[in-house]
Every structure is written in structure tokens, then in C-alpha cells.
Amino acid sequence: MTCTGCSGAVDRVLKKMEGVNKYEVSLSAQTADVYADEGLAYETVLEKIKKTGKAVTKGVRDGEEVGV
């Protein structure tokens, strides 16, 4: 995410996702921290973020790094 438009796109997608309880999108850190119900798969959240056209370079689930 290199601009407010980029972080805004990720914000809008996460805001609409069922099962997302809380999220924090940081333009300066270029991160999106997502806190969701156990029933919402990591892969589902990842795919929604990727569909915004933003590059995903790293993922962490339950404290462990996972593939993107």
C-alpha cells in the first residue's frame, strides 16, 4: 500500500466482510491486521485483499507466518 487510495481499498473490503470483528489498516507500516471469527478462513481474507489489486507479501495466522 503506497497511498491512501490503496489503504482505503483494503479498508472497504474488510469493512464489508462477514466474520471480521476488528481490523487495523496502517499505510505507514503497510500492514493490515485482521481479527475474525474462527469460522472465517485465513485464505478467504487473503483472497479478498488480493482482489483489491494490492500485493500481499507476508501473512501471519495465530502468531505463525503462513504462505501467501
Side-chain angles (χ1 to χ4, degrees):
M1 296 181 289
T2 57
C3 66
T4 56
C6 297
S7 60
V10 174
D11 180 77
R12 284 187 299 278
V13 165
L14 293 174
K15 187 183 300 186
K16 294 178 183 177
M17 283 192 73
E18 286 188 39
V20 172
N21 299 321
K22 176 182 163 186
Y23 64 90
E24 299 168 12
V25 179
S26 171
L27 178 58
S28 60
Q30 297 191 5
T31 60
D33 296 329
V34 181
Y35 305 89
D37 294 339
E38 286 186 29
L40 181 58
Y42 165 82
E43 293 79 9
T44 302
V45 176
L46 184 64
E47 287 305 313
K48 286 285 187 179
I49 292 172
K50 285 183 177 180
K51 283 185 180 181
T52 67
K54 310 308 163 223
V56 178
T57 58
K58 179 180 169 184
V60 177
R61 176 179 48 207
D62 298 327
E64 294 188 29
E65 195 165 325
V66 293
V68 293

Coordinates of all heavy atoms in Angstrom, one line a residue:
M1 N 0.9 -1.2 0.0 CA 0.0 0.0 0.0 C 0.9 1.2 0.0 O 1.7 1.4 0.9 CB -0.9 0.0 1.2 CG -1.9 -1.1 1.3 SD -2.9 -1.1 2.8 CE -1.8 -1.5 4.0
T2 N 0.7 2.0 -1.0 CA 1.6 3.2 -1.1 C 0.9 4.5 -1.0 O 1.5 5.5 -1.1 CB 2.4 3.1 -2.5 OG1 1.4 3.0 -3.5 CG2 3.3 1.9 -2.5
C3 N -0.4 4.5 -1.0 CA -1.2 5.7 -0.9 C -2.5 5.5 -0.1 O -2.9 4.3 0.2 CB -1.5 6.2 -2.3 SG -2.6 5.2 -3.2
T4 N -3.2 6.6 0.2 CA -4.4 6.4 1.0 C -5.5 5.7 0.2 O -6.4 5.1 0.7 CB -5.0 7.8 1.4 OG1 -5.1 8.6 0.3 CG2 -4.0 8.5 2.4
G5 N -5.4 5.8 -1.2 CA -6.4 5.0 -2.0 C -6.2 3.6 -1.8 O -7.1 2.8 -1.8
C6 N -4.9 3.1 -1.7 CA -4.6 1.7 -1.5 C -5.1 1.2 -0.2 O -5.8 0.2 -0.1 CB -3.1 1.5 -1.6 SG -2.3 1.9 -3.2
S7 N -4.8 1.9 0.9 CA -5.2 1.5 2.2 C -6.8 1.6 2.3 O -7.4 0.8 3.0 CB -4.6 2.3 3.3 OG -4.8 3.7 3.2
G8 N -7.3 2.6 1.6 CA -8.8 2.7 1.6 C -9.5 1.6 0.9 O -10.5 1.1 1.4
A9 N -8.9 1.0 -0.1 CA -9.5 -0.1 -0.8 C -9.5 -1.3 0.1 O -10.5 -2.1 0.2 CB -8.7 -0.4 -2.1
V10 N -8.4 -1.6 0.8 CA -8.3 -2.7 1.7 C -9.3 -2.5 2.9 O -10.0 -3.4 3.3 CB -6.9 -2.9 2.3 CG1 -6.8 -3.9 3.4 CG2 -5.9 -3.2 1.1
D11 N -9.4 -1.3 3.4 CA -10.3 -0.9 4.4 C -11.8 -1.2 4.0 O -12.5 -1.8 4.8 CB -10.2 0.6 4.8 CG -11.1 1.0 5.9 OD1 -10.9 0.7 7.1 OD2 -12.2 1.6 5.6
R12 N -12.2 -0.8 2.8 CA -13.5 -1.0 2.3 C -13.9 -2.5 2.2 O -15.0 -2.9 2.6 CB -13.7 -0.3 1.0 CG -13.9 1.2 1.1 CD -14.3 1.8 -0.2 NE -13.3 1.7 -1.3 CZ -12.2 2.4 -1.4 NH1 -11.9 3.4 -0.5 NH2 -11.4 2.2 -2.4
V13 N -12.9 -3.3 1.7 CA -13.1 -4.7 1.6 C -13.3 -5.4 3.0 O -14.2 -6.2 3.2 CB -12.0 -5.4 0.8 CG1 -12.0 -6.9 1.0 CG2 -12.0 -5.0 -0.6
L14 N -12.5 -5.1 3.9 CA -12.5 -5.7 5.2 C -13.8 -5.2 6.0 O -14.4 -6.0 6.7 CB -11.3 -5.3 6.0 CG -10.0 -5.9 5.5 CD1 -8.8 -5.4 6.3 CD2 -10.0 -7.4 5.5
K15 N -14.2 -4.0 5.8 CA -15.4 -3.5 6.4 C -16.7 -4.3 6.0 O -17.6 -4.5 6.8 CB -15.6 -2.0 6.1 CG -16.7 -1.3 6.8 CD -16.9 0.1 6.4 CE -15.6 0.9 6.6 NZ -15.8 2.3 6.2
K16 N -16.7 -4.8 4.8 CA -17.8 -5.5 4.3 C -17.8 -7.0 4.5 O -18.8 -7.6 4.3 CB -17.9 -5.3 2.8 CG -18.2 -3.8 2.4 CD -18.3 -3.7 0.9 CE -18.5 -2.3 0.4 NZ -18.4 -2.1 -1.0
M17 N -16.7 -7.5 5.0 CA -16.6 -9.0 5.2 C -17.3 -9.4 6.4 O -17.1 -8.9 7.5 CB -15.1 -9.4 5.3 CG -14.4 -9.4 3.9 SD -12.8 -10.2 4.1 CE -13.4 -11.9 4.2
E18 N -18.2 -10.4 6.2 CA -18.8 -11.1 7.4 C -17.8 -11.9 8.1 O -17.0 -12.5 7.5 CB -20.0 -12.0 6.9 CG -21.2 -11.2 6.5 CD -22.4 -12.1 6.2 OE1 -22.5 -13.1 7.0 OE2 -23.1 -11.8 5.2
G19 N -17.8 -11.8 9.4 CA -16.9 -12.6 10.3 C -15.7 -11.8 10.7 O -14.9 -12.3 11.6
V20 N -15.5 -10.6 10.1 CA -14.4 -9.8 10.6 C -14.8 -9.0 11.8 O -15.8 -8.2 11.7 CB -13.9 -8.8 9.4 CG1 -12.8 -7.8 10.0 CG2 -13.2 -9.7 8.3
N21 N -14.2 -9.2 12.9 CA -14.6 -8.5 14.1 C -13.9 -7.1 14.3 O -14.5 -6.2 14.8 CB -14.3 -9.4 15.4 CG -15.0 -10.7 15.3 OD1 -16.2 -10.7 14.9 ND2 -14.4 -11.7 15.7
K22 N -12.7 -7.1 13.9 CA -11.9 -5.9 14.0 C -10.8 -5.9 13.0 O -10.3 -7.0 12.7 CB -11.3 -5.8 15.5 CG -10.4 -4.7 15.8 CD -9.9 -4.8 17.2 CE -8.7 -4.0 17.4 NZ -8.1 -4.2 18.7
Y23 N -10.3 -4.8 12.6 CA -9.2 -4.7 11.7 C -8.5 -3.4 11.8 O -9.1 -2.4 12.2 CB -9.6 -5.0 10.2 CG -10.5 -4.0 9.6 CD1 -10.0 -2.8 9.0 CD2 -11.9 -4.1 9.8 CE1 -10.8 -1.9 8.5 CE2 -12.7 -3.1 9.3 CZ -12.2 -2.0 8.6 OH -13.0 -1.1 8.1
E24 N -7.2 -3.4 11.5 CA -6.4 -2.2 11.5 C -5.6 -2.1 10.3 O -4.8 -3.0 10.0 CB -5.5 -2.1 12.8 CG -6.3 -2.2 14.1 CD -5.4 -2.5 15.3 OE1 -4.2 -2.4 15.2 OE2 -6.0 -2.8 16.3
V25 N -5.8 -1.1 9.4 CA -5.0 -0.9 8.2 C -4.1 0.2 8.5 O -4.5 1.3 8.8 CB -5.9 -0.6 7.0 CG1 -5.1 -0.4 5.8 CG2 -6.9 -1.8 6.8
S26 N -2.8 0.0 8.3 CA -1.7 1.0 8.5 C -1.0 1.3 7.2 O -0.3 0.4 6.7 CB -0.8 0.6 9.6 OG 0.3 1.5 9.6
L27 N -1.2 2.5 6.7 CA -0.5 2.9 5.5 C 1.0 3.0 5.8 O 1.8 2.6 5.0 CB -1.0 4.2 5.0 CG -0.4 4.8 3.7 CD1 -0.4 3.8 2.6 CD2 -1.0 6.1 3.3
S28 N 1.4 3.6 6.9 CA 2.8 3.8 7.2 C 3.6 2.5 7.4 O 4.7 2.4 7.0 CB 3.0 4.7 8.5 OG 2.4 4.1 9.6
A29 N 2.9 1.5 8.0 CA 3.6 0.2 8.2 C 3.3 -0.7 7.1 O 3.9 -1.8 7.0 CB 3.1 -0.4 9.5
Q30 N 2.4 -0.3 6.2 CA 1.9 -1.1 5.1 C 1.5 -2.5 5.5 O 1.9 -3.6 5.0 CB 3.1 -1.3 4.0 CG 3.4 0.1 3.4 CD 4.3 0.0 2.2 OE1 4.6 -1.1 1.7 NE2 4.7 1.1 1.7
T31 N 0.6 -2.5 6.5 CA 0.0 -3.7 7.1 C -1.5 -3.7 7.2 O -2.1 -2.6 7.3 CB 0.6 -4.1 8.4 OG1 0.3 -3.0 9.3 CG2 2.1 -4.3 8.4
A32 N -2.1 -4.8 7.3 CA -3.5 -4.9 7.7 C -3.6 -6.1 8.7 O -3.3 -7.2 8.4 CB -4.3 -5.2 6.4
D33 N -4.0 -5.7 9.9 CA -4.2 -6.7 10.9 C -5.7 -7.0 11.0 O -6.5 -6.1 11.2 CB -3.7 -6.2 12.3 CG -2.2 -5.9 12.3 OD1 -1.5 -6.7 11.6 OD2 -1.8 -5.0 13.0
V34 N -6.0 -8.3 10.9 CA -7.4 -8.7 10.8 C -7.7 -9.6 12.0 O -7.0 -10.6 12.1 CB -7.8 -9.3 9.5 CG1 -9.3 -9.7 9.4 CG2 -7.4 -8.4 8.3
Y35 N -8.8 -9.3 12.7 CA -9.2 -10.2 13.8 C -10.6 -10.7 13.4 O -11.5 -9.9 13.3 CB -9.3 -9.4 15.1 CG -7.9 -8.8 15.4 CD1 -7.6 -7.5 15.0 CD2 -7.0 -9.5 16.1 CE1 -6.4 -6.9 15.2 CE2 -5.7 -8.9 16.4 CZ -5.4 -7.6 15.9 OH -4.2 -7.1 16.2
A36 N -10.8 -12.0 13.3 CA -12.0 -12.6 12.7 C -12.5 -13.8 13.5 O -11.8 -14.3 14.3 CB -11.8 -13.0 11.3
D37 N -13.8 -14.1 13.3 CA -14.3 -15.3 13.8 C -13.5 -16.5 13.4 O -12.9 -16.5 12.3 CB -15.8 -15.5 13.4 CG -16.7 -14.4 13.8 OD1 -16.4 -13.7 14.8 OD2 -17.8 -14.2 13.2
E38 N -13.5 -17.6 14.2 CA -12.8 -18.8 13.9 C -13.3 -19.4 12.6 O -12.6 -20.0 11.9 CB -12.9 -19.8 15.0 CG -12.1 -19.4 16.2 CD -12.1 -20.5 17.2 OE1 -12.2 -21.7 16.9 OE2 -11.9 -20.2 18.4
G39 N -14.6 -19.2 12.2 CA -15.2 -19.7 11.0 C -14.7 -19.1 9.7 O -15.0 -19.6 8.7
L40 N -14.1 -17.9 9.8 CA -13.6 -17.2 8.6 C -12.2 -17.6 8.3 O -11.3 -17.4 9.1 CB -13.7 -15.7 8.8 CG -13.3 -14.8 7.7 CD1 -14.1 -15.1 6.4 CD2 -13.4 -13.3 8.0
A41 N -12.0 -18.3 7.2 CA -10.7 -18.8 6.9 C -9.7 -17.8 6.5 O -10.1 -16.8 5.9 CB -10.9 -19.8 5.7
Y42 N -8.5 -18.0 6.9 CA -7.4 -17.1 6.6 C -7.3 -16.9 5.1 O -7.2 -15.7 4.6 CB -6.1 -17.7 7.1 CG -4.8 -17.1 6.5 CD1 -4.3 -15.9 7.1 CD2 -4.2 -17.6 5.4 CE1 -3.2 -15.3 6.5 CE2 -3.0 -17.1 4.9 CZ -2.5 -15.9 5.5 OH -1.4 -15.3 4.9
E43 N -7.5 -17.9 4.3 CA -7.4 -17.9 2.9 C -8.5 -17.0 2.3 O -8.2 -16.3 1.3 CB -7.5 -19.3 2.3 CG -6.3 -20.2 2.6 CD -6.4 -20.8 4.0 OE1 -7.4 -20.6 4.7 OE2 -5.3 -21.4 4.4
T44 N -9.7 -17.0 2.9 CA -10.7 -16.1 2.4 C -10.4 -14.7 2.5 O -10.6 -13.9 1.6 CB -12.0 -16.4 3.1 OG1 -12.4 -17.8 3.0 CG2 -13.2 -15.6 2.6
V45 N -9.9 -14.3 3.7 CA -9.5 -12.9 3.9 C -8.3 -12.5 3.0 O -8.4 -11.5 2.3 CB -9.0 -12.7 5.4 CG1 -8.5 -11.3 5.6 CG2 -10.1 -13.0 6.3
L46 N -7.4 -13.4 2.8 CA -6.2 -13.1 1.9 C -6.7 -12.9 0.5 O -6.3 -11.9 -0.2 CB -5.3 -14.3 2.0 CG -4.0 -14.2 1.2 CD1 -3.1 -13.1 1.7 CD2 -3.2 -15.5 1.2
E47 N -7.6 -13.7 0.0 CA -8.1 -13.6 -1.4 C -8.8 -12.3 -1.6 O -8.7 -11.6 -2.6 CB -8.9 -14.8 -1.8 CG -8.1 -16.0 -2.0 CD -7.0 -15.9 -3.1 OE1 -7.3 -15.3 -4.1 OE2 -5.9 -16.3 -2.8
K48 N -9.6 -11.9 -0.6 CA -10.4 -10.6 -0.7 C -9.4 -9.4 -0.8 O -9.6 -8.5 -1.5 CB -11.3 -10.4 0.5 CG -12.5 -11.3 0.5 CD -13.5 -10.8 -0.5 CE -14.8 -11.6 -0.4 NZ -15.8 -11.1 -1.3
I49 N -8.3 -9.5 0.0 CA -7.4 -8.4 0.0 C -6.6 -8.4 -1.4 O -6.4 -7.3 -2.0 CB -6.4 -8.5 1.2 CG1 -7.1 -8.2 2.5 CG2 -5.2 -7.5 1.0 CD1 -6.2 -8.5 3.7
K50 N -6.3 -9.6 -1.9 CA -5.6 -9.7 -3.2 C -6.5 -9.1 -4.3 O -6.0 -8.6 -5.2 CB -5.2 -11.1 -3.4 CG -4.0 -11.6 -2.7 CD -3.7 -13.0 -3.1 CE -2.4 -13.5 -2.4 NZ -2.1 -14.9 -2.8
K51 N -7.8 -9.3 -4.2 CA -8.7 -8.8 -5.2 C -8.7 -7.3 -5.4 O -9.2 -6.8 -6.4 CB -10.1 -9.4 -5.0 CG -10.2 -10.8 -5.4 CD -11.7 -11.3 -5.3 CE -11.8 -12.8 -5.7 NZ -13.1 -13.3 -5.6
T52 N -8.2 -6.6 -4.3 CA -8.1 -5.2 -4.4 C -7.0 -4.7 -5.3 O -6.9 -3.6 -5.7 CB -7.9 -4.5 -3.0 OG1 -6.6 -4.9 -2.5 CG2 -9.0 -4.9 -2.1
G53 N -6.2 -5.7 -5.7 CA -5.0 -5.4 -6.6 C -3.8 -5.1 -5.8 O -2.7 -4.7 -6.4
K54 N -3.8 -5.2 -4.5 CA -2.7 -4.8 -3.7 C -1.8 -6.1 -3.5 O -2.3 -7.2 -3.3 CB -3.1 -4.3 -2.3 CG -4.1 -3.2 -2.4 CD -3.7 -2.1 -3.3 CE -4.8 -1.2 -3.6 NZ -4.9 -0.8 -5.0
A55 N -0.5 -5.9 -3.5 CA 0.4 -7.0 -3.3 C 0.4 -7.5 -1.8 O 0.4 -6.7 -0.9 CB 1.8 -6.6 -3.7
V56 N 0.3 -8.8 -1.6 CA 0.4 -9.3 -0.3 C 1.7 -10.1 -0.2 O 2.0 -11.0 -1.0 CB -0.8 -10.3 0.0 CG1 -0.6 -10.9 1.4 CG2 -2.1 -9.6 -0.1
T57 N 2.6 -9.7 0.7 CA 3.9 -10.3 0.7 C 4.2 -11.1 1.9 O 5.2 -11.9 1.9 CB 5.0 -9.2 0.7 OG1 4.8 -8.3 1.8 CG2 4.9 -8.3 -0.6
K58 N 3.3 -11.1 2.9 CA 3.5 -11.8 4.1 C 2.2 -12.0 4.8 O 1.3 -11.2 4.8 CB 4.5 -11.0 5.1 CG 4.8 -11.7 6.4 CD 5.7 -10.8 7.2 CE 5.9 -11.3 8.6 NZ 6.7 -10.4 9.4
G59 N 2.0 -13.2 5.5 CA 0.8 -13.4 6.2 C 1.1 -14.1 7.5 O 2.1 -14.9 7.6
V60 N 0.4 -13.8 8.6 CA 0.6 -14.4 9.9 C -0.8 -14.8 10.4 O -1.8 -14.0 10.3 CB 1.2 -13.4 10.9 CG1 1.3 -14.0 12.3 CG2 2.6 -12.9 10.4
R61 N -0.9 -16.1 10.8 CA -2.2 -16.6 11.3 C -1.9 -17.1 12.7 O -1.0 -18.0 12.8 CB -2.8 -17.6 10.4 CG -4.0 -18.2 11.0 CD -4.6 -19.3 10.1 NE -3.6 -20.3 9.6 CZ -3.7 -20.9 8.5 NH1 -4.8 -20.7 7.7 NH2 -2.8 -21.8 8.1
D62 N -2.6 -16.7 13.7 CA -2.4 -17.1 15.1 C -1.0 -17.1 15.5 O -0.5 -18.0 16.2 CB -3.0 -18.6 15.2 CG -4.5 -18.6 15.0 OD1 -5.2 -17.6 15.3 OD2 -5.0 -19.6 14.4
G63 N -0.3 -16.0 15.1 CA 1.1 -15.9 15.5 C 2.2 -16.6 14.7 O 3.3 -16.4 15.0
E64 N 1.7 -17.4 13.7 CA 2.7 -18.1 12.9 C 2.6 -17.6 11.5 O 1.6 -17.4 10.9 CB 2.4 -19.6 13.0 CG 2.6 -20.2 14.3 CD 2.5 -21.7 14.3 OE1 2.8 -22.3 13.3 OE2 2.1 -22.2 15.3
E65 N 3.8 -17.4 10.9 CA 3.9 -17.0 9.5 C 3.4 -18.1 8.6 O 3.7 -19.3 8.7 CB 5.3 -16.6 9.1 CG 5.4 -15.8 7.8 CD 6.7 -15.1 7.6 OE1 7.3 -14.7 8.6 OE2 7.1 -15.1 6.4
V66 N 2.6 -17.7 7.6 CA 2.0 -18.6 6.6 C 2.2 -18.1 5.2 O 2.4 -16.9 5.0 CB 0.5 -18.9 6.9 CG1 0.3 -19.6 8.2 CG2 -0.3 -17.6 6.9
G67 N 2.1 -19.0 4.3 CA 2.3 -18.6 2.9 C 1.2 -17.7 2.4 O 0.1 -17.7 2.8
V68 N 1.6 -16.9 1.4 CA 0.6 -16.0 0.7 C 0.6 -16.4 -0.7 O 0.1 -16.2 -1.6 CB 1.0 -14.5 0.9 CG1 0.9 -14.1 2.3 CG2 2.4 -14.2 0.4

